[in-house]
Amino acid sequence: MATIDAEISEESMSLAIDDIVYVAVGKDVGESKSTLLWALQNFSIKKVCLVHVHQPAKMIPLIGGNFPASRLEQHELREFRELERKIMHKVLDDYLLLCHRAAVHAEKLYIEKDDIGKGIVELMYQHAIKKLVMGAAAERHYSEGMMDLQSRKAKYVQQCAPSSCQIWFICKGHLIHTGTSTDAFADLDPFTLNISGEITGLELELSEIPDMEEESDLHTPDALEQNSVEQLYKQLDRAMEEAEKFKREAFEESLIRGEAEKTSIKALRKVDVLSKLRHPHLVTLIGACSEACALIYEYLPNGNLEDRLNCEGNTPPLSWQVRIRIATELCSALIFLHSSTPTSIVHGDLKPGNVLLDANLSCKLSEFGICLADHNTRNITQYHKTDPEGTFLYLDPHFLTTGELSPKSDTYAFGIILLQLLTGRPEFGLVKEIRDVIDEENLTSLIDPLAGDWPFVQAMQLARLALKCCQMERSSRPDLASEVWSVLEPMRDSCGPLSRFQFGSLQCQTPPPYFICPILQEVMQDPHIAADGFTYEAEALRGWLESGHDTSPMTNLELERFELIPNHALRSVIQEWLQQH
């Protein structure tokens, strides 16, 4: 091995100063960095070209599982592909930084292809690549004295590359193999390679013309017996196909049932968690519907933030003071979730559509993903259930590449919402637009005029804070409790007292209907959620069950189980209402 390295080192000294070495790099910088460093150390060159094959994802990684890209709407898929390319360029920029530190000029060359090996070969032919350095195998497969190529793409490139190109295969910083193409068709282009060995149209046509002697043999006794056997085989094939069809349908049915069971279990977990949470800016859980696996929350009359920013239904625009208050309230709710013990709670599906507004335009966060992040395992998600529609642009890029969710994932989505509060614009491309206008010192061109005369200093401060939250690198995002709150709280205080309506839920003299026990018809003191999804006074429902009933007092349907879940969140709201009345 040392001899091979020495030979390459000597050969590199003979390269012309304008020679370009192409280095194939993958999406994992940690894995491909050693290959790039080997090239930089072993070739006396001033220019490197990074070769990368971007594989568009066929399955979209979402919280709780993967979602087929083919099932997305065209605009959703387009948005996700743009985000994928943005992540790709960020990865390639990390490689460029390594080259810059080595005082080597570097360029990017990339292609989108489902197969990495075929993508590399296509680039080799398109750009007449003469010298290529690439990986021989994943680093975990490296062993001392290793001489053979291990990865499928490395073998494919070795076989199909043009003979004029010399290739160095590297693994974990060691030269494993070097040479040119070994394929007999190496000098042919990829199109020629694809059609080699195929039957021409003339050959196919001739092969289909039956021989006259063969035609006469079809009516002999042996031929008839053969036909009978063939019919039996055909019947057997049909029976096998039908059996396979039934087997496939049974498997799909079992998957549907299994998914329904998982959904039911997750809904119960969500009820258990939400019933214990109480915060002024978290929506209150009222009950649950077991048949639809749906949760029932308190009604908030002013809809959601997305509709209000778009002035849906001719609703009046939100003033800049209200927007700052909403940002501060939303931040406080996230800090509360992230600081929960014994495990922090990550919302996981943060977007304007999940931020509800009460009668006073105060915000309440809803549609929890309920991702429990274990502090001892780098805050990785344990479970989650969410609807994939419309959430891609708010998803943490780190999650899209690693599948790991953390409180900083909510920080990323919170940054996007801050920009929307500031501009009133859709989320697509908003981060880049804000960066551009800040660089051009023209932020006022994007500030939503419907918000009123937003103080420029505050607007600039909010824009810069939002961009920090939207950093691609998770570690570069600010901490909500210390850094973000210290900026938003003074902003909110500077807005002065906001006029408030006097018909909010807590100001009403008549208790909201969801405060009333369906059995006693009185305000509940100790609300509990039953298996039918309704909330009752615990003592009243226990009396109902102990009297011999096994059905729901509301639906008269048989209860699946008799255990009750305390609704601490609703109890806290009721107690607050009682204190004011």
Side-chain angles (χ1 to χ4, degrees), residues 51-212:
V51 175
H52 178 73
V53 179
H54 172 59
Q55 292 177 292
K58 295 181 179 178
M59 299 294 290
I60 308 298
L62 289 175
I63 308 163
N66 292 327
F67 191 79
S70 58
R71 292 174 57 186
L72 297 179
E73 298 290 339
Q74 282 299 316
H75 72 280
E76 293 175 336
L77 184 59
R78 186 168 59 252
E79 290 171 359
F80 183 75
R81 294 301 184 216
E82 287 297 323
L83 184 55
E84 273 190 319
R85 295 183 187 104
K86 184 178 178 182
I87 295 171
M88 176 198 72
H89 283 292
K90 173 65 178 65
V91 170
L92 293 179
D93 287 344
D94 290 342
Y95 289 116
L96 292 178
L97 182 59
L98 288 174
C99 297
H100 177 72
R101 289 172 179 170
V104 174
H105 176 71
E107 296 177 351
K108 295 184 287 188
L109 178 63
Y110 57 91
I111 188 174
E112 290 191 8
K113 205 81 172 176
D114 290 333
D115 187 283
I116 295 178
K118 291 180 179 179
I120 293 175
V121 170
E122 186 170 329
L123 288 174
M124 294 172 79
Y125 280 98
Q126 286 180 357
H127 298 273
I129 295 176
K130 303 298 182 184
K131 293 178 173 60
L132 175 70
V133 179
M134 67 174 292
E139 291 193 351
R140 65 180 181 276
H141 297 310
Y142 174 76
S143 60
E144 190 173 351
M146 177 180 173
M147 299 290 290
D148 297 325
L149 303 181
Q150 299 290 330
S151 74
R152 184 181 64 84
K153 64 175 175 286
K155 293 177 181 178
Y156 180 87
V157 171
Q158 184 194 28
Q159 292 173 354
C160 300
S163 58
S164 58
C165 180
Q166 188 165 8
I167 312 171
W168 292 267
F169 295 95
I170 312 300
C171 185
K172 211 170 183 179
H174 298 274
L175 179 65
I176 303 303
H177 185 80
T178 184
T180 55
S181 172
T182 60
D183 192 81
F185 301 101
D187 288 326
L188 300 177
D189 58 41
F191 176 75
T192 307
L193 285 172
N194 285 338
I195 66 170
S196 63
E198 292 183 2
I199 301 175
T200 66
L202 178 60
E203 290 170 335
L204 181 61
E205 189 175 326
L206 291 174
S207 67
E208 291 177 347
I209 299 175
D211 186 88
M212 295 304 294

Side-chain angles (χ1 to χ4, degrees), residues 57 67 120 199 236 271 296 298 357 451 455-456 462 481 490 523 530 570:
F67 191 79
I120 293 175
I199 301 175
L236 179 61
V271 169
I296 303 168
E298 63 176 313
L357 302 175
F456 180 76
L462 194 66
V523 174
L570 180 58

Side-chain angles (χ1 to χ4, degrees), residues 553-572:
M554 295 295 289
T555 65
N556 204 33
L557 298 175
E558 185 177 348
L559 295 170
E560 295 180 1
R561 56 192 178 280
F562 300 127
E563 61 267 26
L564 307 178
I565 300 176
N567 194 339
H568 299 292
L570 180 58
R571 183 177 184 274
S572 178

Side-chain angles (χ1 to χ4, degrees), residues 311-330:
C311 297
E312 291 288 338
N314 292 323
T315 53
L318 302 174
S319 68
W320 64 268
Q321 295 96 330
V322 169
R323 298 184 193 206
I324 287 179
R325 187 185 69 183
I326 290 173
T328 308
E329 292 172 348
L330 184 56

